[in-house]
Amino acid sequence: MIKSKMKQQPLFGTLIKIVDDPAMLIMAKDAGMDFVFYDCEHGMIPYDRLHDLMLMGNGIKMPSIVRAAQLARSDVSRVLDCGAEGVMVPMIETSEQARQLVQWSKYPPLGSRSYSGGANTFYKPSGNHQENMRELNQATITIAQIETVKGVENVDEIAQVEGIDALIVGPADLGISMGNPDNMMHPDELALIRKVANACKRADKGFGIIGPLPLIAEFKNDIDLLISAIDVNILRDGLKQYVKGYQDIIK
């Protein structure tokens, strides 16, 4: 489980926006990644395709986290019903929002997630609801994404919410919120990210960043969840490398 493993060692995953071929899961596992992170906020993969990808991923022990489009029951609970091991909601700014996220991502007694068997139980037979809910609450990682100045201002209260398992910083939107859209390594932004890392440490919650490797390196002693590889960047950089090689040959 991501939730338990992240406290033993940092876990590395790739953000998926457009690649929806199941072979990607096999390649990610072969490359040594610990999870895949599907983006339903900015990405293009529909729910029915996500269901199939995550079901296969669970079958080969390549778990999935999904960034939901928004803080809504239909978005949070549905991705978990489709088989995700974790869910993250963007732009969390208050403890009230964090508590709502827990309500929709965790079953009673911790939350009020509606029960449904299916991909989330790997299509086990009906029944055994109590044990299934207990196991899924134990396995499901619920993540608040902190990516505004207001979110950082309230980060201690957010981190203390029972049922929130990790906080992940979105440095691009955080910089935009600060009026600093193009320099994630600016000292002022690093100071805000440090506040998030410290709040996670005080609350014994996981800490993560979706960002470039230099930023991740800055917090290498604090980070539990690393998301730096993005499918569109991998494709773009790989194509550029091949084009450059071709151009070097024909010069």
Side-chain angles (χ1 to χ4, degrees), residues 107-109 115 127-137:
Y107 292 109
Y115 185 87
N128 202 30
H129 296 165
Q130 187 67 37
E131 183 61 19
N132 286 342
M133 290 192 297
R134 186 193 68 78
E135 290 180 357
L136 286 167
N137 273 356

Side-chain angles (χ1 to χ4, degrees), residues 110-144:
L110 190 55
S112 59
R113 177 182 168 190
S114 175
Y115 185 87
S116 173
N120 58 326
T121 62
F122 214 60
Y123 286 99
K124 293 177 182 177
S126 298
N128 202 30
H129 296 165
Q130 187 67 37
E131 183 61 19
N132 286 342
M133 290 192 297
R134 186 193 68 78
E135 290 180 357
L136 286 167
N137 273 356
Q138 188 176 49
T140 298
I141 179 169
T142 298
I143 304 169

Side-chain angles (χ1 to χ4, degrees), residues 38-215:
Y38 296 103
D39 189 356
C40 283
E41 181 189 16
H42 302 299
M44 298 294 114
I45 303 176
Y47 280 116
D48 58 344
R49 190 61 173 164
L50 274 175
H51 166 275
D52 297 347
L53 290 167
M54 293 192 293
L55 197 61
M56 178 181 170
N58 291 341
I60 65 171
K61 308 301 182 185
M62 175 53 65
S64 308
I65 300 173
V66 176
R67 174 161 59 185
Q70 60 186 329
L71 181 61
R73 180 188 289 273
S74 59
D75 293 285
V76 172
S77 297
R78 190 173 185 186
V79 297
L80 293 171
D81 287 346
C82 285
E85 188 169 304
V87 61
M88 181 178 78
V89 168
M91 298 287 182
I92 295 295
E93 296 184 312
T94 66
S95 58
E96 289 79 9
Q97 291 174 334
R99 281 191 287 271
Q100 188 64 80
L101 171 54
V102 172
Q103 286 297 303
W104 291 333
S105 61
K106 299 289 174 64
Y107 292 109
L110 190 55
S112 59
R113 177 182 168 190
S114 175
Y115 185 87
S116 173
N120 58 326
T121 62
F122 214 60
Y123 286 99
K124 293 177 182 177
S126 298
N128 202 30
H129 296 165
Q130 187 67 37
E131 183 61 19
N132 286 342
M133 290 192 297
R134 186 193 68 78
E135 290 180 357
L136 286 167
N137 273 356
Q138 188 176 49
T140 298
I141 179 169
T142 298
I143 304 169
Q145 186 168 22
I146 307 299
E147 46 187 348
T148 65
V149 172
K150 183 177 179 180
V152 176
E153 289 172 349
N154 294 321
V155 71
D156 277 301
E157 292 83 358
I158 293 169
Q160 293 289 342
V161 170
E162 184 181 6
I164 292 293
D165 303 300
L167 308 183
I168 288 182
V169 172
D173 279 316
L174 179 57
I176 292 169
S177 174
M178 299 171 65
N180 169 45
D182 292 308
N183 182 10
M184 297 180 188
M185 301 302 291
H186 190 284
D188 290 344
E189 181 159 1
L190 294 179
L192 292 188
I193 297 173
R194 171 59 57 194
K195 288 184 179 180
V196 179
N198 289 343
C200 289
K201 188 175 296 185
R202 285 190 291 270
D204 193 28
K205 303 295 176 71
F207 168 67
I209 296 175
I210 299 177
L213 290 175
L215 183 61

Side-chain angles (χ1 to χ4, degrees), residues 24-49:
M24 170 269 300
L25 297 165
I26 297 171
M27 290 185 282
K29 186 176 180 68
D30 184 63
M33 290 187 173
D34 300 294
F35 60 90
V36 290
F37 204 117
Y38 296 103
D39 189 356
C40 283
E41 181 189 16
H42 302 299
M44 298 294 114
I45 303 176
Y47 280 116
D48 58 344
R49 190 61 173 164

